[in-house]
Amino acid sequence: MTIRTAQNTVKNAGRSLAAIGAAVCWLAASPAFADGEVIAAFTKNQVDPHFEGVRAGVEQVAKKMGATVRQYVPTKPNNITEGMSQLEDVGVTKPNLVLFMPIDPKAQLPTIKRLIEAGTPVVNYNDKAGDAPYLAFVGEDDYKLGYDIAKTLFDHLGGKGNVVILEGIKGSNTGDERKRGFDAALKEYPNIKLLASQPANFQRLLGLQVMENLIQQFSTIDGVIAAADASALGAAEALKSAGRGNVAVVSINGVPEAVEAVKNGGLLAIAEFNGFKIGCVATEIGLKAIRGETVPKQVVIPGAIITKANHAEWLVPYQRRTCPTAASYVAKW
């Protein structure tokens, strides 16, 4: 288990119990301006740059609001055994706030519910984690991201051609919703033929391997829809190696390496799923909630379509970006 503790100073650790008590009445109208809370922030791995963005956003807002962050990241990517162990650790160390994204929602939901019942305030962010009394959910609309990026590809192809889909992890809310969006767009383009739809689990190596197999099976592939940048980069690598680098590839996320590929023509476009913004807003919402402020139950951050024409802002390193406020995404608060 890896726990990386941020360098933010704990100014008043003695307020822990008060903060937890405040979470119980987080809908209270009068804000209690406290600081010094400890945040346990969960991400799924250290290999996907998307989660680097999440962690950077959490750290920036925590520092600004006077809180300390403990980063919980499995040493083995997306390892559910480590993920469960880390949740058990939170039950013992009792942070003031948990920012939680699931590795396996069904397996982890009972533990999360026990933590909340024991008085630990939890914000669910990035991926939906089932039905539990979270303070709030902060993320994006995966169905819309899938729908929008698929239409971007189909329009680029002139409404006709052969395409393949590299799905995320079957059974995950994120992967399933994105696939549902791809399928909805397909129904609107009768001259787009879906050759195959296979899981690549949001991974680069698997994206490359699946694409290599598809290249062997199909002589004409005009477009590739990947559920994540990592899979898209693997697919683009396989296509280039096979001498088919002219195939249009689109994906979802917007990590710097993938945006660089958009800039250089390796990828056609990306639907923005911005981990940095999610980390920023989830941290702000969570801290305000445990300090007694009223917060929205859900914040859905809209995603842009990143193309060669507008890519520049997504090439800025996470550490040099400035967090947006939660209020900028909530019409009435």
Side-chain angles (χ1 to χ4, degrees):
M1 175 175 68
T2 295
I3 303 174
R4 296 195 296 112
T5 305
Q7 299 302 315
N8 303 341
T9 302
V10 178
K11 297 180 180 177
N12 192 351
R15 298 185 181 180
S16 299
L17 292 176
I20 292 174
V24 175
C25 54
W26 64 279
L27 285 172
S30 301
F33 297 102
D35 61 12
E37 300 92 342
V38 176
I39 302 171
F42 283 75
T43 47
K44 298 186 213 179
N45 62 64
Q46 301 183 62
V47 297
D48 187 338
H50 170 78
F51 299 116
E52 179 188 343
V54 174
R55 292 189 286 270
V58 171
E59 298 279 2
Q60 186 177 126
V61 170
K63 183 177 182 180
K64 182 179 179 182
M65 297 181 72
T68 297
V69 183
R70 294 176 186 160
Q71 298 282 3
Y72 285 78
V73 191
T75 56
K76 297 177 182 178
N78 297 31
N79 185 281
I80 184 59
T81 302
E82 285 189 76
M84 293 299 292
S85 175
Q86 290 172 346
L87 275 181
E88 297 294 341
D89 180 80
V90 163
V92 174
T93 58
K94 300 186 183 304
N96 303 98
L97 173 67
V98 173
L99 303 177
F100 176 69
M101 64 176 72
I103 295 172
D104 183 333
K106 291 182 180 177
Q108 293 178 292
L109 187 59
T111 303
I112 278 292
K113 286 184 174 179
R114 285 199 298 274
L115 285 173
I116 294 173
E117 289 170 359
T120 302
V122 181
V123 170
N124 173 205
Y125 71 154
N126 199 77
D127 305 276
K128 288 192 174 178
D131 182 19
Y134 300 110
L135 295 179
F137 170 76
V138 178
E140 296 196 24
D141 184 339
D142 287 294
Y143 170 85
K144 188 174 189 310
L145 294 176
Y147 177 80
D148 288 348
I149 198 62
K151 283 181 67 73
T152 299
L153 174 64
F154 301 158
D155 287 341
H156 171 78
L157 296 176
K160 59 183 179 181
N162 297 330
V163 303
V164 299
I165 293 174
L166 304 184
E167 304 172 22
I169 298 173
K170 283 186 178 295
S172 72
N173 183 77
T174 300
D176 290 352
E177 283 297 292
R178 290 178 184 182
K179 176 64 164 54
R180 202 165 65 83
F182 301 154
D183 292 342
L186 269 169
K187 292 178 181 176
E188 299 178 13
Y189 292 80
N191 294 321
I192 294 287
K193 182 180 180 181
L194 178 63
L195 298 176
S197 182
Q198 298 182 11
N201 292 4
F202 306 123
Q203 295 178 12
R204 185 166 189 155
L205 179 58
L206 194 54
L208 182 148
Q209 294 170 336
V210 170
M211 197 67 236
E212 286 177 337
N213 291 333
L214 293 172
I215 289 169
Q216 294 298 318
Q217 293 178 47
F218 302 106
S219 59
T220 302
I221 298 174
D222 300 300
V224 177
I225 308 170
D229 285 348
S231 303
L233 290 168
E237 187 177 341
L239 288 163
K240 185 177 180 181
S241 296
R244 295 163 74 170
N246 61 334
V247 175
V249 181
V250 299
S251 68
I252 298 173
N253 276 141
V255 301
E257 184 181 0
V259 178
E260 190 71 36
V262 171
K263 176 184 176 182
N264 297 328
L267 300 181
L268 174 68
I270 303 169
E272 177 198 26
F273 182 74
N274 196 313
F276 178 77
K277 292 178 180 176
I278 292 171
C280 296
V281 174
T283 306
E284 181 189 338
I285 289 288
L287 287 174
K288 285 185 172 178
I290 67 173
R291 292 176 185 182
E293 294 190 42
T294 300
V295 299
K297 195 65 179 174
Q298 176 170 282
V299 180
V300 177
I301 298 171
I305 297 296
I306 305 168
T307 68
K308 202 167 187 175
N310 68 350
H311 68 277
E313 71 172 276
W314 289 276
L315 285 179
V316 177
Y318 294 123
Q319 303 301 333
R320 288 170 46 195
R321 297 184 187 184
T322 300
C323 276
T325 63
S328 61
Y329 302 114
V330 182
K332 294 181 179 179
W333 184 353

